[in-house]
Amino acid sequence: MKITGIEIKHYLLPLDPPFKAAWDPEPRKKFASTVVYVHTDEGITGVGSGDLMMGFEGHEHLFIGQDPFAIERHSQVIQNIDFHYGRCWPLDLALWDLMGKATGQPVYKLLGGRSNKLLAYASTGEMVTPDVRAERAISFVEQGFKAMKIRFHHKDVKDDIKVVEAVRKAVGDKLEIMVDANQGWKMPWDVERTWDLKMAYQVAKELEQLNVFWLEEPLPSHQFEMMAKLRDMVGIRIAGGEMNRNWHDFREMNKSNSLDVYQPDVALSGGITQTKKIAELVQGSGGWFSPHTWTNGVGLLANLHLAAAISHCPYLEFPYDPPAWSNDRRDYIQKHSLMIDAEGYLVAPEKPGLGIELDEEALRKYEVNHFYVGESNPISILKNVFAF
């Protein structure tokens, strides 16, 4: 089997009403998805999705004509592109999907098959009043969720803590509560001061009293030693790493014992190939691997396959904050939206590959540009690129 072509398509879903993401002062009026297709001479096509594939154009020849199963070789090339340009890891996901289809196996089995499911925590994205967040938390309990995550980003952190207090009062011990401080990275225009160690410590001690399961990204993502100090100072678990894009970042975090929970996203940093190595490294040192999954339903599926196959962490992130961030919005390019089962588990599909079923009607409706290079048709059309 040989790779004969790589196709990249971009899709854009209008959001009305807009999604008011906690980490962005501007309401999101559109949601972009990038899909990568890897075609072969045997008629099997792998599909992946995630980041925008910026910088990939001009490197197609490094893959065309190659055996798709040479995944370590391909991962190294993608890592080289990452160093010089952008994060092209959706290509790695498409290759794993292709390998699963070619062997007739779901990807989680190719990766180790420890399990095919994980308990999902409802990962919220908006800042809302304490009463509204408490109401939504009660709804999560009724839907079968066993855990949820609350985002911080008020100007006064005391207002954030009030939200956690309201949720804890409303649900008691029926839900584990995670908190995302959103201090690890910034949007391009964000020049506000981030928390320092003392602020992170004070917040962590408050959250300990509310029995919060973990505190995510309380410090900038490069402050490995400060995170280790914070971890030693408090009893609450410290999580992070969702936007650290290199393997050596996680090597240094692991060496410093920076985190209890490591959260690299296969669609953004390392693909399945490199992220599996990170997960094995940190778990071998006693940490948990629970990936970030906020891309779209395809990225969520890819992270599920890896986490179910090898993770010891009891929970997987499930981006979900209806009505503003619904399953239908997140999964608009897919034929079927993902949802937990009655017991609160997100279950990996048993179909070969990642189990992706794209909605062809939605793809035709929302496509905004197209980029394709193959053995006999080396053309590219790239009009506009949209970031979520």
Side-chain angles (χ1 to χ4, degrees):
M1 182 185 293
K2 300 296 182 184
I3 297 172
T4 57
I6 297 173
E7 193 172 13
I8 301 169
K9 293 187 177 184
H10 300 279
Y11 306 94
L12 195 65
L13 176 72
L15 299 179
D16 185 18
F19 171 53
K20 300 176 182 178
W23 56 93
D24 189 348
E26 292 296 323
R28 304 295 179 91
K29 298 180 180 180
K30 57 184 180 291
F31 175 38
S33 289
T34 296
V35 179
V36 179
Y37 304 83
V38 179
H39 303 292
T40 66
D41 58 359
E42 295 188 13
I44 301 174
T45 296
V47 178
S49 184
D51 217 338
L52 290 168
M53 298 292 292
M54 296 287 286
F56 183 76
E57 185 176 3
H59 297 95
E60 305 80 17
H61 66 284
L62 299 175
F63 301 92
I64 292 173
Q66 296 288 327
D67 180 351
F69 280 81
I71 193 65
E72 287 291 340
R73 181 260 180 202
H74 302 323
S75 180
Q76 179 64 65
V77 175
I78 299 170
Q79 192 166 0
N80 295 342
I81 294 171
D82 186 312
F83 176 82
H84 291 282
Y85 303 101
R87 301 178 298 196
C88 296
W89 297 109
L91 176 57
D92 181 90
L93 308 190
L95 289 166
W96 276 98
D97 183 53
L98 198 162
M99 289 189 290
K101 290 173 177 175
T103 58
Q105 296 293 326
V107 168
Y108 81 86
K109 288 188 177 180
L110 300 183
L111 293 167
R114 183 174 184 269
S115 177
N116 70 335
K117 63 183 181 180
L118 282 172
L119 286 172
Y121 68 86
S123 181
T124 66
E126 287 192 310
M127 286 193 303
V128 295
T129 65
D131 288 345
V132 170
R133 184 55 66 206
E135 289 175 6
R136 294 185 186 181
I138 293 170
S139 175
F140 291 155
V141 173
E142 293 170 347
Q143 292 173 75
F145 286 97
K146 304 297 189 293
M148 68 172 293
K149 185 162 74 183
I150 298 169
R151 304 241 177 205
F152 278 18
H153 230 70
H154 285 93
K155 289 185 177 180
D156 188 340
V157 72
K158 293 178 182 178
D159 292 326
D160 290 314
I161 293 173
K162 288 177 182 177
V163 176
V164 182
E165 290 172 341
V167 171
R168 179 56 75 202
K169 182 178 180 180
V171 301
D173 60 359
K174 295 178 181 178
L175 279 180
E176 295 282 11
I177 299 174
M178 293 86 159
V179 164
D180 189 342
N182 276 134
Q183 300 295 309
W185 54 274
K186 291 177 173 290
M187 298 295 291
W189 49 83
D190 187 353
V191 295
E192 294 297 317
R193 184 177 63 184
T194 52
W195 293 358
D196 58 16
L197 178 60
K198 289 186 177 180
M199 172 64 81
Y201 170 77
Q202 291 168 0
V203 174
K205 295 303 287 185
E206 290 281 345
L207 297 179
E208 278 185 40
Q209 302 305 310
L210 295 167
N211 196 28
V212 168
F213 195 69
W214 75 50
L215 172 59
E216 187 172 326
E217 296 203 313
L219 291 167
S221 60
H222 62 279
Q223 292 186 2
F224 305 152
E225 293 184 2
M226 289 297 100
M227 286 189 285
K229 286 184 179 180
L230 176 64
R231 181 172 175 261
D232 287 341
M233 294 165 66
V234 298
I236 193 173
R237 296 175 185 87
I238 303 300
E242 69 183 43
M243 286 297 181
N244 291 83
R245 43 194 296 180
N246 298 304
W247 184 90
H248 56 74
D249 275 5
F250 292 94
R251 178 194 63 198
E252 294 306 309
M253 281 190 276
N254 186 63
K255 187 184 298 183
S256 299
N257 293 316
S258 299
L259 302 171
D260 297 284
V261 186
Y262 293 80
Q263 301 174 303
D265 187 325
V266 301
L268 300 177
S269 56
I272 290 172
T273 308
Q274 295 297 326
T275 304
K276 183 175 186 290
K277 297 173 184 177
I278 294 168
E280 290 168 341
L281 171 69
V282 300
Q283 289 190 158
S285 299
W288 279 353
F289 165 65
S290 181
H292 169 272
T293 67
W294 268 82
T295 50
N296 59 20
V298 176
L300 173 56
L301 269 177
N303 280 291
L304 169 62
H305 276 277
L306 177 57
I310 67 171
S311 179
H312 300 292
C313 183
Y315 295 108
L316 178 76
E317 182 173 38
F318 186 80
Y320 186 58
D321 197 7
W325 199 245
S326 63
N327 292 338
D328 289 341
R329 282 188 166 189
R330 185 196 61 222
D331 304 341
Y332 74 97
I333 62 171
Q334 294 169 248
K335 195 171 183 180
H336 304 291
S337 295
L338 303 173
M339 190 52 177
I340 61 170
D341 66 14
E343 297 179 339
Y345 287 93
L346 189 60
V347 182
E350 292 298 324
K351 295 179 179 180
L354 294 173
I356 301 163
E357 290 187 74
L358 296 176
D359 184 334
E360 296 300 330
E361 182 178 345
L363 297 182
R364 287 190 295 270
K365 182 177 182 180
Y366 298 117
E367 184 177 350
V368 291
N369 53 50
H370 182 198
F371 166 67
Y372 174 74
V373 171
E375 288 180 326
S376 59
N377 189 25
I379 62 170
S380 67
I381 304 170
L382 191 56
K383 298 175 183 176
N384 295 301
V385 176
F386 299 91
F388 176 45

